[in-house]
Amino acid sequence: MIIANYCTAAALFCLGLYTALTRRDLIRIVMGLSLMESSTYLLIVSLAYRADSTAPVLLSPPDGQTPEQLARGNVSDPVLQNFCLTAIVIGVAITGVFLAVVVRIAQHYRSLDADRVRELRG
Amino acid sequence: MSAAGTAALLPLPIVCPIAGAVLAPLAGRLSRGLPFLVALLAMAGATATLAPIARLVYGGNGQVVSHYLGHWGPVNGQPLGIALVGDPLGVMYASLVAVVGTLLLLAAFSELGGLGARENGGFVCLFLLLLAALIGSALTADLINLFVWFQVAALASYGLTGFFLERPIALEAAFKIIVLTSIAGFLVFVGATLFYRQHGALNMAHLHTALGTGVRTADLLALGLMFLGLATKAGLVPVHAWLPDAHTAAPGAVSALFSGLMVNLGIIGLARLLLQVFPSREHGHGVLPLLTTLGAVSAVLGALMALLQEDLKRVLAWDTISQLGILGVGFATLSDRGVAGATYHLLDHALFKTLLFLCAGAVVHSTGQTELSRLGGLARHRPFVTAAFTLGVLAIAGIPPLNGYASLGLIHEAVEKTDPVTFVALLLAQALTVAALGRAGYLAFYRRRTEPYENLEKPRAGMAVTLILLGGACVAFGVFPNRVLSTVAAPAASSLLHPDEWAVAVLSGRAGVPPLDVTFEYWTFSGLLIVASTVLAGVLIAWWAVRWTTREVPQPRALRALRALHSGSVNDYVAFFTVGLIATLTVLLA
């Protein structure tokens, strides 16, 4: 049923994009981007899944299996799970910078309306 | 030094600037100028470690050396560790970043050195991080590593754009660049992981070998996502909207860094993805025509928008979009002359655009004005900056013996026979570029100005040295085109045009790429005719456009509509992005 995860990830991404497309509130745009970000986490963890696999942990394997069997056998892909961790770290950094900019915009313009923050145009 | 020993130097050009970025804020606690000294030392370290690599790589026809981080080399032909690769293209870009980046640090020191110690430390830290990320992206052969450098460059660029927090437009620009570049980052990331899921390969060479056996729908989806993500960094239409804003708000040296060096991350990433990783020649599914189209549209639209701008730095920023479009067209030709012309033009563009942005920075620094309508008469007050700016404009216009002539000439020759529509678009873009920069140059420097400036700051020595060196490089690259081609540009193009040999070389650790014989004939009738006609057309358009500013003639309605399309609203820019995404995926998957 991993297809359901893919569909959810795609829907989350579209929802985030829709938010960034239609909302003028800067905080909501940040939230839209966070949604898109989480959709990539979901997608990547789901991509790592293989049917009937176990977690890629070789310590204390399930009953009747040795670490060697697990290493050669059916575990979900640890590389993709690592990417997901990397992406979460980068995502936190970006959201932090993003919110810092929004705070400074709020201080300067006394508004969070993206439509009032558009001196640069054309 | 042995070849393996030289290959082991590959991480150092990245490590040096990162170490400098860590030390600079600490050095700022001791003294105000110390962060800049740390930065110059770090970049000197990067340049010094790149030099033996470059000597090895450009020996013969072009060699490829690779180094696996932590010595996690390939096992049974399967690469495991992250590979750093010195190939002619990557080392060209890395050396360009190291050398021009050092010059920009010098210029930044003379322009901004008067800031407080804390500000200097933070500024230098971000600057070095961006340079490190660009060098990293040049030397990596791993898709996820490329994504990491993409994000490091993005984070540093957010910081640099919004560095002068007291200027509201800097905040606005930072907000827009964050929104668009973050979405682009997600796309690159998802694309890279999809490739990995399909083929179990992250190493570009390994992935190229795996893709050779067959391309599935998921691969095309991954290609489309990565394509648009990297195109955003490169500033191609329709995902270009962040670029002019980011350049307007930043100080001169930072704009020069963005335009001369950072946007190349995107276009080099695109070139690697489409030419080295993906078998576009065999299973392209329209991705190369897509790049040609986006490139041609960017070239024309960027130049047209540059013509309409009122702000000196915005003129240059829009022109960057135009030039990057020309690079895209060059890479998409897949012909010897076109790709070699594009790698050559990449160097040229970095040189003259850096020069022009530093001149614009010097103008802003001395007059405090950026609006073209408020400038003028600088030829009398600032003859040196005027000369440097004029040199840059002539180089972009492709007037011999300056550098734009050779590289643009090669790209034009490559497109002329095979693709007449694109050729006409490039000529139109060239005429409009001449017009836009000629108009800006006339209004800012040569126009008579009756009232004196309130306050003219003296130009700084560091700035002058940088301008002289960059201007000298523009002349040298134009006078010896075949030297540049045979040593650097042709090997770099060869590593793009022979992906199979390149992949073997990367995986085996050290081998050469086949020779590529491209020479540029200097005095050809057609080449000179193109220059003469585009310059003539450009001057006529500029004469017409100057009168918009002096309010003698109104701007045509169609052009005003084009400007109004770039509404400054971040929602609209995300909409452009969405249109680009849908169009790319439709072209590739349909």
PDB file of all heavy atoms in Angstrom, chain A residues 16-40:
ATOM      1  N   GLY A  16       0.887  22.543  -0.491  1.00  0.00           N
ATOM      2  CA  GLY A  16       1.872  23.565  -0.141  1.00  0.00           C
ATOM      3  C   GLY A  16       2.036  24.569  -1.261  1.00  0.00           C
ATOM      4  O   GLY A  16       2.085  25.787  -1.031  1.00  0.00           O
ATOM      5  N   LEU A  17       2.105  24.059  -2.491  1.00  0.00           N
ATOM      6  CA  LEU A  17       2.265  24.953  -3.647  1.00  0.00           C
ATOM      7  C   LEU A  17       1.047  25.859  -3.769  1.00  0.00           C
ATOM      8  O   LEU A  17       1.177  27.062  -4.040  1.00  0.00           O
ATOM      9  CB  LEU A  17       2.445  24.103  -4.903  1.00  0.00           C
ATOM     10  CG  LEU A  17       2.976  24.817  -6.136  1.00  0.00           C
ATOM     11  CD1 LEU A  17       4.356  25.368  -5.860  1.00  0.00           C
ATOM     12  CD2 LEU A  17       3.049  23.861  -7.313  1.00  0.00           C
ATOM     13  N   TYR A  18      -0.143  25.273  -3.533  1.00  0.00           N
ATOM     14  CA  TYR A  18      -1.372  26.062  -3.612  1.00  0.00           C
ATOM     15  C   TYR A  18      -1.342  27.185  -2.576  1.00  0.00           C
ATOM     16  O   TYR A  18      -1.705  28.331  -2.872  1.00  0.00           O
ATOM     17  CB  TYR A  18      -2.574  25.146  -3.379  1.00  0.00           C
ATOM     18  CG  TYR A  18      -3.899  25.858  -3.344  1.00  0.00           C
ATOM     19  CD1 TYR A  18      -4.501  26.284  -4.530  1.00  0.00           C
ATOM     20  CD2 TYR A  18      -4.530  26.137  -2.138  1.00  0.00           C
ATOM     21  CE1 TYR A  18      -5.699  26.956  -4.498  1.00  0.00           C
ATOM     22  CE2 TYR A  18      -5.729  26.816  -2.104  1.00  0.00           C
ATOM     23  CZ  TYR A  18      -6.311  27.218  -3.285  1.00  0.00           C
ATOM     24  OH  TYR A  18      -7.499  27.901  -3.263  1.00  0.00           O
ATOM     25  N   THR A  19      -0.865  26.869  -1.367  1.00  0.00           N
ATOM     26  CA  THR A  19      -0.766  27.893  -0.325  1.00  0.00           C
ATOM     27  C   THR A  19       0.158  29.020  -0.767  1.00  0.00           C
ATOM     28  O   THR A  19      -0.172  30.202  -0.636  1.00  0.00           O
ATOM     29  CB  THR A  19      -0.218  27.265   0.964  1.00  0.00           C
ATOM     30  OG1 THR A  19      -0.927  26.075   1.215  1.00  0.00           O
ATOM     31  CG2 THR A  19      -0.344  28.208   2.128  1.00  0.00           C
ATOM     32  N   ALA A  20       1.344  28.651  -1.303  1.00  0.00           N
ATOM     33  CA  ALA A  20       2.293  29.672  -1.724  1.00  0.00           C
ATOM     34  C   ALA A  20       1.753  30.474  -2.904  1.00  0.00           C
ATOM     35  O   ALA A  20       2.126  31.627  -3.103  1.00  0.00           O
ATOM     36  CB  ALA A  20       3.622  29.021  -2.101  1.00  0.00           C
ATOM     37  N   LEU A  21       0.852  29.851  -3.681  1.00  0.00           N
ATOM     38  CA  LEU A  21       0.301  30.536  -4.855  1.00  0.00           C
ATOM     39  C   LEU A  21      -0.780  31.537  -4.468  1.00  0.00           C
ATOM     40  O   LEU A  21      -0.925  32.575  -5.102  1.00  0.00           O
ATOM     41  CB  LEU A  21      -0.331  29.506  -5.800  1.00  0.00           C
ATOM     42  CG  LEU A  21       0.527  28.909  -6.887  1.00  0.00           C
ATOM     43  CD1 LEU A  21      -0.236  27.784  -7.554  1.00  0.00           C
ATOM     44  CD2 LEU A  21       0.869  29.955  -7.909  1.00  0.00           C
ATOM     45  N   THR A  22      -1.575  31.197  -3.455  1.00  0.00           N
ATOM     46  CA  THR A  22      -2.791  31.977  -3.233  1.00  0.00           C
ATOM     47  C   THR A  22      -2.760  32.823  -1.962  1.00  0.00           C
ATOM     48  O   THR A  22      -3.538  33.758  -1.855  1.00  0.00           O
ATOM     49  CB  THR A  22      -4.007  31.044  -3.137  1.00  0.00           C
ATOM     50  OG1 THR A  22      -3.716  30.058  -2.151  1.00  0.00           O
ATOM     51  CG2 THR A  22      -4.270  30.362  -4.462  1.00  0.00           C
ATOM     52  N   ARG A  23      -1.929  32.493  -0.970  1.00  0.00           N
ATOM     53  CA  ARG A  23      -1.977  33.239   0.297  1.00  0.00           C
ATOM     54  C   ARG A  23      -1.041  34.426   0.220  1.00  0.00           C
ATOM     55  O   ARG A  23       0.061  34.320  -0.311  1.00  0.00           O
ATOM     56  CB  ARG A  23      -1.558  32.344   1.461  1.00  0.00           C
ATOM     57  CG  ARG A  23      -2.417  31.143   1.657  1.00  0.00           C
ATOM     58  CD  ARG A  23      -3.819  31.522   2.001  1.00  0.00           C
ATOM     59  NE  ARG A  23      -4.691  30.894   1.015  1.00  0.00           N
ATOM     60  CZ  ARG A  23      -5.984  30.690   1.195  1.00  0.00           C
ATOM     61  NH1 ARG A  23      -6.578  31.111   2.290  1.00  0.00           N
ATOM     62  NH2 ARG A  23      -6.700  30.118   0.258  1.00  0.00           N
ATOM     63  N   ARG A  24      -1.495  35.562   0.773  1.00  0.00           N
ATOM     64  CA  ARG A  24      -0.637  36.745   0.783  1.00  0.00           C
ATOM     65  C   ARG A  24       0.045  36.925   2.126  1.00  0.00           C
ATOM     66  O   ARG A  24       0.987  37.715   2.243  1.00  0.00           O
ATOM     67  CB  ARG A  24      -1.454  37.974   0.414  1.00  0.00           C
ATOM     68  CG  ARG A  24      -1.634  38.063  -1.080  1.00  0.00           C
ATOM     69  CD  ARG A  24      -2.676  39.051  -1.502  1.00  0.00           C
ATOM     70  NE  ARG A  24      -2.775  40.185  -0.609  1.00  0.00           N
ATOM     71  CZ  ARG A  24      -3.711  41.122  -0.726  1.00  0.00           C
ATOM     72  NH1 ARG A  24      -4.586  41.051  -1.699  1.00  0.00           N
ATOM     73  NH2 ARG A  24      -3.768  42.116   0.112  1.00  0.00           N
ATOM     74  N   ASP A  25      -0.430  36.211   3.123  1.00  0.00           N
ATOM     75  CA  ASP A  25       0.165  36.313   4.447  1.00  0.00           C
ATOM     76  C   ASP A  25       1.529  35.609   4.451  1.00  0.00           C
ATOM     77  O   ASP A  25       1.630  34.446   4.079  1.00  0.00           O
ATOM     78  CB  ASP A  25      -0.788  35.648   5.442  1.00  0.00           C
ATOM     79  CG  ASP A  25      -0.350  35.878   6.869  1.00  0.00           C
ATOM     80  OD1 ASP A  25       0.790  35.511   7.210  1.00  0.00           O
ATOM     81  OD2 ASP A  25      -1.142  36.429   7.625  1.00  0.00           O
ATOM     82  N   LEU A  26       2.566  36.340   4.855  1.00  0.00           N
ATOM     83  CA  LEU A  26       3.910  35.768   4.748  1.00  0.00           C
ATOM     84  C   LEU A  26       4.061  34.504   5.584  1.00  0.00           C
ATOM     85  O   LEU A  26       4.706  33.549   5.163  1.00  0.00           O
ATOM     86  CB  LEU A  26       4.952  36.804   5.181  1.00  0.00           C
ATOM     87  CG  LEU A  26       5.043  38.052   4.320  1.00  0.00           C
ATOM     88  CD1 LEU A  26       6.117  38.976   4.824  1.00  0.00           C
ATOM     89  CD2 LEU A  26       5.324  37.698   2.877  1.00  0.00           C
ATOM     90  N   ILE A  27       3.468  34.506   6.783  1.00  0.00           N
ATOM     91  CA  ILE A  27       3.585  33.315   7.648  1.00  0.00           C
ATOM     92  C   ILE A  27       2.954  32.111   6.959  1.00  0.00           C
ATOM     93  O   ILE A  27       3.465  30.995   7.014  1.00  0.00           O
ATOM     94  CB  ILE A  27       2.902  33.570   9.001  1.00  0.00           C
ATOM     95  CG1 ILE A  27       3.618  34.692   9.746  1.00  0.00           C
ATOM     96  CG2 ILE A  27       2.857  32.312   9.846  1.00  0.00           C
ATOM     97  CD1 ILE A  27       4.894  34.279  10.401  1.00  0.00           C
ATOM     98  N   ARG A  28       1.827  32.358   6.276  1.00  0.00           N
ATOM     99  CA  ARG A  28       1.182  31.223   5.595  1.00  0.00           C
ATOM    100  C   ARG A  28       2.036  30.717   4.447  1.00  0.00           C
ATOM    101  O   ARG A  28       2.047  29.517   4.158  1.00  0.00           O
ATOM    102  CB  ARG A  28      -0.190  31.640   5.082  1.00  0.00           C
ATOM    103  CG  ARG A  28      -1.140  31.724   6.238  1.00  0.00           C
ATOM    104  CD  ARG A  28      -2.511  32.092   5.823  1.00  0.00           C
ATOM    105  NE  ARG A  28      -3.194  32.543   7.028  1.00  0.00           N
ATOM    106  CZ  ARG A  28      -4.500  32.572   7.172  1.00  0.00           C
ATOM    107  NH1 ARG A  28      -5.263  32.212   6.170  1.00  0.00           N
ATOM    108  NH2 ARG A  28      -5.024  32.975   8.287  1.00  0.00           N
ATOM    109  N   ILE A  29       2.742  31.638   3.786  1.00  0.00           N
ATOM    110  CA  ILE A  29       3.637  31.177   2.718  1.00  0.00           C
ATOM    111  C   ILE A  29       4.730  30.296   3.315  1.00  0.00           C
ATOM    112  O   ILE A  29       5.075  29.249   2.758  1.00  0.00           O
ATOM    113  CB  ILE A  29       4.233  32.381   1.958  1.00  0.00           C
ATOM    114  CG1 ILE A  29       3.113  33.148   1.271  1.00  0.00           C
ATOM    115  CG2 ILE A  29       5.257  31.927   0.945  1.00  0.00           C
ATOM    116  CD1 ILE A  29       3.563  34.365   0.518  1.00  0.00           C
ATOM    117  N   VAL A  30       5.257  30.702   4.476  1.00  0.00           N
ATOM    118  CA  VAL A  30       6.261  29.873   5.145  1.00  0.00           C
ATOM    119  C   VAL A  30       5.669  28.503   5.456  1.00  0.00           C
ATOM    120  O   VAL A  30       6.311  27.464   5.247  1.00  0.00           O
ATOM    121  CB  VAL A  30       6.745  30.541   6.448  1.00  0.00           C
ATOM    122  CG1 VAL A  30       7.752  29.650   7.154  1.00  0.00           C
ATOM    123  CG2 VAL A  30       7.362  31.881   6.168  1.00  0.00           C
ATOM    124  N   MET A  31       4.409  28.489   5.917  1.00  0.00           N
ATOM    125  CA  MET A  31       3.779  27.212   6.235  1.00  0.00           C
ATOM    126  C   MET A  31       3.595  26.369   4.977  1.00  0.00           C
ATOM    127  O   MET A  31       3.781  25.145   5.000  1.00  0.00           O
ATOM    128  CB  MET A  31       2.439  27.454   6.931  1.00  0.00           C
ATOM    129  CG  MET A  31       2.612  27.966   8.345  1.00  0.00           C
ATOM    130  SD  MET A  31       1.121  28.698   9.003  1.00  0.00           S
ATOM    131  CE  MET A  31       0.169  27.272   9.377  1.00  0.00           C
ATOM    132  N   GLY A  32       3.252  27.038   3.876  1.00  0.00           N
ATOM    133  CA  GLY A  32       3.115  26.311   2.613  1.00  0.00           C
ATOM    134  C   GLY A  32       4.414  25.639   2.225  1.00  0.00           C
ATOM    135  O   GLY A  32       4.442  24.474   1.826  1.00  0.00           O
ATOM    136  N   LEU A  33       5.515  26.379   2.384  1.00  0.00           N
ATOM    137  CA  LEU A  33       6.806  25.783   2.050  1.00  0.00           C
ATOM    138  C   LEU A  33       7.147  24.642   2.985  1.00  0.00           C
ATOM    139  O   LEU A  33       7.734  23.643   2.563  1.00  0.00           O
ATOM    140  CB  LEU A  33       7.900  26.855   2.051  1.00  0.00           C
ATOM    141  CG  LEU A  33       8.146  27.359   0.640  1.00  0.00           C
ATOM    142  CD1 LEU A  33       7.232  28.505   0.307  1.00  0.00           C
ATOM    143  CD2 LEU A  33       9.572  27.731   0.441  1.00  0.00           C
ATOM    144  N   SER A  34       6.765  24.785   4.257  1.00  0.00           N
ATOM    145  CA  SER A  34       7.015  23.684   5.195  1.00  0.00           C
ATOM    146  C   SER A  34       6.233  22.440   4.790  1.00  0.00           C
ATOM    147  O   SER A  34       6.739  21.319   4.917  1.00  0.00           O
ATOM    148  CB  SER A  34       6.610  24.089   6.611  1.00  0.00           C
ATOM    149  OG  SER A  34       7.505  25.045   7.095  1.00  0.00           O
ATOM    150  N   LEU A  35       5.017  22.661   4.296  1.00  0.00           N
ATOM    151  CA  LEU A  35       4.225  21.522   3.826  1.00  0.00           C
ATOM    152  C   LEU A  35       4.935  20.812   2.675  1.00  0.00           C
ATOM    153  O   LEU A  35       5.025  19.581   2.644  1.00  0.00           O
ATOM    154  CB  LEU A  35       2.863  21.997   3.335  1.00  0.00           C
ATOM    155  CG  LEU A  35       1.724  22.069   4.337  1.00  0.00           C
ATOM    156  CD1 LEU A  35       0.464  22.525   3.644  1.00  0.00           C
ATOM    157  CD2 LEU A  35       1.509  20.706   4.950  1.00  0.00           C
ATOM    158  N   MET A  36       5.443  21.623   1.727  1.00  0.00           N
ATOM    159  CA  MET A  36       6.141  21.016   0.588  1.00  0.00           C
ATOM    160  C   MET A  36       7.354  20.238   1.064  1.00  0.00           C
ATOM    161  O   MET A  36       7.656  19.147   0.572  1.00  0.00           O
ATOM    162  CB  MET A  36       6.576  22.106  -0.385  1.00  0.00           C
ATOM    163  CG  MET A  36       5.418  22.775  -1.078  1.00  0.00           C
ATOM    164  SD  MET A  36       5.880  24.350  -1.760  1.00  0.00           S
ATOM    165  CE  MET A  36       6.331  23.877  -3.363  1.00  0.00           C
ATOM    166  N   GLU A  37       8.033  20.817   2.058  1.00  0.00           N
ATOM    167  CA  GLU A  37       9.211  20.172   2.608  1.00  0.00           C
ATOM    168  C   GLU A  37       8.837  18.817   3.221  1.00  0.00           C
ATOM    169  O   GLU A  37       9.468  17.801   2.952  1.00  0.00           O
ATOM    170  CB  GLU A  37       9.740  21.102   3.688  1.00  0.00           C
ATOM    171  CG  GLU A  37      11.170  21.020   4.000  1.00  0.00           C
ATOM    172  CD  GLU A  37      11.479  22.134   4.988  1.00  0.00           C
ATOM    173  OE1 GLU A  37      11.517  23.303   4.568  1.00  0.00           O
ATOM    174  OE2 GLU A  37      11.624  21.839   6.180  1.00  0.00           O
ATOM    175  N   SER A  38       7.761  18.823   4.039  1.00  0.00           N
ATOM    176  CA  SER A  38       7.382  17.555   4.688  1.00  0.00           C
ATOM    177  C   SER A  38       6.971  16.529   3.649  1.00  0.00           C
ATOM    178  O   SER A  38       7.194  15.337   3.836  1.00  0.00           O
ATOM    179  CB  SER A  38       6.233  17.738   5.671  1.00  0.00           C
ATOM    180  OG  SER A  38       6.017  19.062   5.940  1.00  0.00           O
ATOM    181  N   SER A  39       6.373  17.002   2.542  1.00  0.00           N
ATOM    182  CA  SER A  39       5.973  16.035   1.522  1.00  0.00           C
ATOM    183  C   SER A  39       7.204  15.325   0.967  1.00  0.00           C
ATOM    184  O   SER A  39       7.144  14.133   0.672  1.00  0.00           O
ATOM    185  CB  SER A  39       5.199  16.735   0.413  1.00  0.00           C
ATOM    186  OG  SER A  39       6.077  17.376  -0.466  1.00  0.00           O
ATOM    187  N   THR A  40       8.344  16.058   0.852  1.00  0.00           N
ATOM    188  CA  THR A  40       9.541  15.362   0.352  1.00  0.00           C
ATOM    189  C   THR A  40      10.022  14.333   1.379  1.00  0.00           C
ATOM    190  O   THR A  40      10.468  13.256   0.996  1.00  0.00           O
ATOM    191  CB  THR A  40      10.687  16.346   0.042  1.00  0.00           C
ATOM    192  OG1 THR A  40      11.065  16.999   1.235  1.00  0.00           O
ATOM    193  CG2 THR A  40      10.299  17.353  -0.984  1.00  0.00           C
TER     194      THR A  40
END
